[in-house]
Amino acid sequence: MLNLIQNEWMKLWNKKGTWVMVGLMIIFTSGMLFLMKWIDTQRNNWEAQPGDASISVQVDVDDSGWKESAESDLAYTQARLSEEGLSKVERKELEGNAKVLEYRLANSIEPIDEFSREGLIKNPSSISGTVLLLTVIVAAGIVASEFSQGTIKMLLTRPVKRWKILTSKFITVNLFSIFLILVGYVLYIALSMILFKSGAGQELAWNGKEVVEVSVWGKSLYMLLLSFGSVFITASFAFAVGSVFRSSSLAIGLSLFIYFTGSTITMMLSKYEVAKYLLFTHMDLTVYETGMHFIPGISLTFSLAVVAVYIVVFLAISYTTFIKRDVTA
């Protein structure tokens, strides 16, 4: 198996397109960080402009701005907690948020500014979009290209079981996605350290017993892992479609359609029970940290279970089709 994976890995890197993808990953990640730096600079320049109030008054307003926002969030959270019909998952999440907000206000602990060095480091999930697009291209073509280029017969004449060949290709796709996300993450962290200043504030969380401080680096790695979920899910779907229909263009098109329209479909069906079991609902696992849920009452464990079922189905179809396919014609 290791020899098969090594062979697929070498075949992947012998293609010029693979190096182009790495270059695009570097360009897009760098461009995103420089764009955010420009936005931050424009924001600071706007705040520094003299207005109706004096500079000293402006500073006082800025210092108390986060408290007003936290008080507003706390009032909203408490109002939600007073509602009837909340699920256990929703109530537990809201109670945790309320505890954190109360602790923050009571101890005057400022939240981390999203445009500070720490604010960027704690949430690197923005790089996953580029990784997903590039990985889908590889996943869609790694099997389909063998048919289009006519090399599938030579590949299957080797004294190796077909399921091992397909497994080596699937592992190679995921190794490539891991490589891309690591390249993007290292570059993202480096540019965040260089371009942005360190800010005040502290990340807090409720552990079920008390409010605790959260490491920025721990949160960063956790968000990176959650964001990789959408990459793995979409790449698995593209791999399945490419294997079954032998068309990389169809696999890429369907995968990107699901990725870009999934949230819209989820919102449209959010009132129905079936929405909880759709793949679209569980593709973005970072919502369990950002709190941007479309479907209330579901947990990370539930999402992982649903995703696992879909992945098994995708791979079962891929393996069944690939093993039984006649390539003698």
Side-chain angles (χ1 to χ4, degrees), residues 114-127:
E114 62 178 354
F115 282 102
S116 67
R117 180 183 300 168
E118 293 81 4
L120 290 168
I121 289 175
K122 76 170 186 174
N123 188 9
S125 59
S126 54
I127 66 175

Side-chain angles (χ1 to χ4, degrees), residues 29 124 127 179-193 224:
T29 303
I127 66 175
F179 173 79
L180 283 182
I181 206 166
L182 289 178
V183 169
Y185 181 68
V186 170
L187 181 60
Y188 179 90
I189 295 299
L191 290 177
S192 297
M193 300 286 287
L224 186 70

Side-chain angles (χ1 to χ4, degrees), residues 11 19 48 240 251 255 263 301:
K11 285 165 59 177
W19 295 96
S255 301
S263 58
T301 303

Side-chain angles (χ1 to χ4, degrees), residues 225-236:
L225 179 62
L226 290 179
S227 65
F228 181 74
S230 61
V231 177
F232 179 73
I233 296 167
T234 312
S236 298

Side-chain angles (χ1 to χ4, degrees), residues 76-285:
Y76 172 78
T77 303
Q78 291 173 339
R80 286 291 312 279
L81 283 170
S82 64
E83 297 177 0
E84 297 181 358
L86 291 176
S87 66
K88 292 183 179 179
V89 175
E90 288 180 279
R91 185 168 295 279
K92 183 179 179 181
E93 181 179 351
L94 289 171
E95 288 175 348
N97 292 340
K99 294 288 186 182
V100 170
L101 290 169
E102 290 171 354
Y103 185 89
R104 192 179 292 283
L105 289 168
N107 296 275
S108 296
I109 301 177
E110 182 180 353
I112 296 175
D113 182 8
E114 62 178 354
F115 282 102
S116 67
R117 180 183 300 168
E118 293 81 4
L120 290 168
I121 289 175
K122 76 170 186 174
N123 188 9
S125 59
S126 54
I127 66 175
S128 64
T130 305
V131 176
L132 185 148
L133 296 176
L134 298 177
T135 304
V136 161
I137 295 174
V138 174
I142 196 166
V143 175
S145 62
E146 299 282 3
F147 287 93
S148 61
Q149 296 172 5
T151 56
I152 188 65
K153 292 182 180 180
M154 181 173 57
L155 180 66
L156 296 183
T157 54
R158 299 168 60 185
V160 180
K161 294 183 178 181
R162 290 191 178 190
W163 70 266
K164 289 186 176 182
I165 294 175
L166 194 63
T167 301
S168 68
K169 289 181 176 294
F170 184 68
I171 292 175
T172 300
V173 168
N174 287 288
L175 287 176
F176 182 68
S177 66
I178 293 172
F179 173 79
L180 283 182
I181 206 166
L182 289 178
V183 169
Y185 181 68
V186 170
L187 181 60
Y188 179 90
I189 295 299
L191 290 177
S192 297
M193 300 286 287
I194 294 171
L195 297 176
F196 295 87
K197 297 180 180 179
S198 180
Q202 175 64 50
E203 185 73 11
L204 302 174
W206 174 254
N207 65 4
K209 297 181 179 179
E210 59 182 350
V211 177
V212 295
E213 295 184 354
V214 177
S215 167
V216 171
W217 292 103
K219 180 68 174 291
S220 178
L221 292 174
Y222 184 57
M223 289 296 291
L224 186 70
L225 179 62
L226 290 179
S227 65
F228 181 74
S230 61
V231 177
F232 179 73
I233 296 167
T234 312
S236 298
F237 177 77
F239 181 83
V241 175
S243 302
V244 173
F245 296 99
R246 296 176 291 179
S247 172
S248 59
S249 57
L250 177 63
I252 293 171
L254 288 177
S255 301
L256 297 186
F257 174 79
I258 289 177
Y259 175 66
F260 287 113
T261 63
S263 58
T264 303
I265 296 174
T266 301
M267 285 190 294
M268 292 172 60
L269 300 176
S270 59
K271 296 181 180 180
Y272 303 97
E273 183 70 17
V274 69
K276 293 184 179 181
Y277 306 99
L278 296 177
L279 179 62
F280 314 116
T281 306
H282 309 281
M283 291 184 67
D284 184 8
L285 300 178

